[in-house]
Amino acid sequence: NAIEPAKICWIMPSDPWLIDRANLQPGLDNFERTIGGLTAQFEAIAGADSIPDLFARLEASGQLLRMDQSVEPTAYRCATVTQTELRELRRIDNIVRLGKVRVIEPTRIVLVQGSIATRPDALHIDCSASAIPSLPDMTVFEGNRINLLMISSCQPLFSAALIAYVESHLADQAHMNALCTMVPPPHIPTDWLRMWAVNLGNQLRWAEHEDLTRWIRQSRLYFLTSVVRGLKETDTGKLAQLHRLSLCKQQALVNLPRLLESIA
């Protein structure tokens, strides 16, 4: 709304790691960057010797972004931005990092770690609502109840569609829940790794189910389907990139348990 950045005070209880939207675009026109981005993520997992090293690799390869290079992010919520949006956000210099707001009074805002001045005529915008609530460990299929949970990282719509497919084609709940293991809702940076761990496990189980695999490959909601649709056998370069992606995924699966064990 053309508000000058200098007039904005941004209360930021925790800096987030952000996803670059350019790395997650559908279609063959974006094949190299999208598949290359996924490959870079698996290479980071495979090559990292610690959690800090993992995030350093992810940032160096452009897979994760942050607001301020001097501030270590303490949150991850699948938030996605374009480079243009990030440049605009970085124009706001007055960022308050004193924890969450406790109360807003006429002349001050009280935060967990202190307070800052405000005015009775200031406009306060509450952006604290979370689209990703905290949840206990749950199963999708619970007797006659279906819990709509994320079973593919940061893909709630595809997750719901896959749950619907499994519910309408299978009968054994143990098998159904194995195919639909809940991907933990992300809140802190290490959840990025926890999500991949469960997501990759789900993918391995999906691949063992021929009919489900066939359905996934034609689902317009599945991210990779939208990226490889129209790929031809003559596209040898793109096929080689997919082969490299597969190899890097296998390497990531080898190192992933060790990284998970290092998380306190």
Side-chain angles (χ1 to χ4, degrees), residues 156-219:
L157 295 181
F158 170 69
S159 296
L162 193 146
I163 288 170
Y165 177 92
V166 170
E167 191 274 337
S168 60
H169 288 79
L170 283 77
D172 179 76
Q173 281 211 352
H175 187 200
M176 293 162 69
N177 279 320
L179 293 170
C180 299
T181 301
M182 180 182 79
V183 172
H187 295 283
I188 59 177
T190 48
D191 288 336
W192 183 92
L193 189 65
R194 293 189 181 97
M195 293 177 78
W196 262 126
V198 179
N199 196 10
L200 288 174
N202 278 340
Q203 289 181 15
L204 290 173
R205 288 184 289 274
W206 298 343
E208 297 172 353
H209 195 288
E210 184 176 347
D211 292 339
L212 178 57
T213 299
R214 187 181 302 111
W215 176 84
I216 289 173
R217 286 176 178 171
Q218 60 80 41
S219 172

Side-chain angles (χ1 to χ4, degrees), residues 51 190 193-195 197 255-264:
I51 296 299
T190 48
L193 189 65
R194 293 189 181 97
M195 293 177 78
N255 196 40
L256 201 154
R258 187 182 63 81
L259 288 175
L260 289 173
E261 288 178 0
S262 70
I263 299 174

Side-chain angles (χ1 to χ4, degrees), residues 54-165:
L54 170 66
F55 283 95
R57 290 168 182 261
L58 291 170
E59 184 175 24
S61 62
Q63 297 310 300
L64 289 179
L65 311 169
R66 60 172 128 179
M67 285 291 302
D68 188 328
Q69 294 297 118
S70 66
V71 179
E72 185 69 23
T74 57
Y76 175 69
R77 296 290 187 94
C78 294
T80 307
V81 296
T82 66
Q83 289 286 348
T84 300
E85 289 169 337
L86 187 58
R87 283 194 295 271
E88 287 297 302
L89 292 172
R90 284 173 173 167
R91 293 175 63 202
I92 302 173
D93 292 325
N94 186 11
I95 297 179
V96 176
R97 295 180 170 90
L98 294 174
K100 295 181 179 180
V101 174
R102 285 181 168 171
V103 64
I104 298 177
E105 299 176 349
T107 59
R108 70 170 185 163
I109 300 174
V110 180
L111 303 107
V112 172
Q113 300 171 29
S115 63
I116 59 173
T118 188
R119 304 188 317 273
D121 62 344
L123 173 64
H124 301 91
I125 302 172
D126 183 359
C127 300
S128 62
S130 175
I132 305 177
S134 297
L135 295 171
D137 288 337
M138 302 171 65
T139 58
V140 168
F141 300 101
E142 188 179 356
N144 292 326
R145 179 185 177 87
I146 299 176
N147 296 309
L148 288 177
L149 306 171
M150 211 154 43
I151 59 176
S152 183
S153 295
C154 306
Q155 287 194 283
L157 295 181
F158 170 69
S159 296
L162 193 146
I163 288 170
Y165 177 92

Side-chain angles (χ1 to χ4, degrees), residues 14-32:
S14 54
D15 282 62
W17 282 113
L18 304 167
I19 300 171
D20 189 337
R21 192 177 299 278
N23 295 333
L24 297 171
Q25 294 302 308
L28 286 177
D29 291 343
N30 302 291
F31 183 95
E32 282 78 9

Side-chain angles (χ1 to χ4, degrees), residues 25-31 35 214-232 235 238 242:
Q25 294 302 308
L28 286 177
D29 291 343
N30 302 291
F31 183 95
I35 298 301
R214 187 181 302 111
W215 176 84
I216 289 173
R217 286 176 178 171
Q218 60 80 41
S219 172
R220 65 181 180 83
L221 295 176
Y222 187 49
F223 176 61
L224 278 182
T225 295
S226 67
V227 177
V228 303
R229 183 177 287 116
L231 186 63
K232 300 178 181 178
D235 293 330
K238 290 183 174 63
L242 284 177

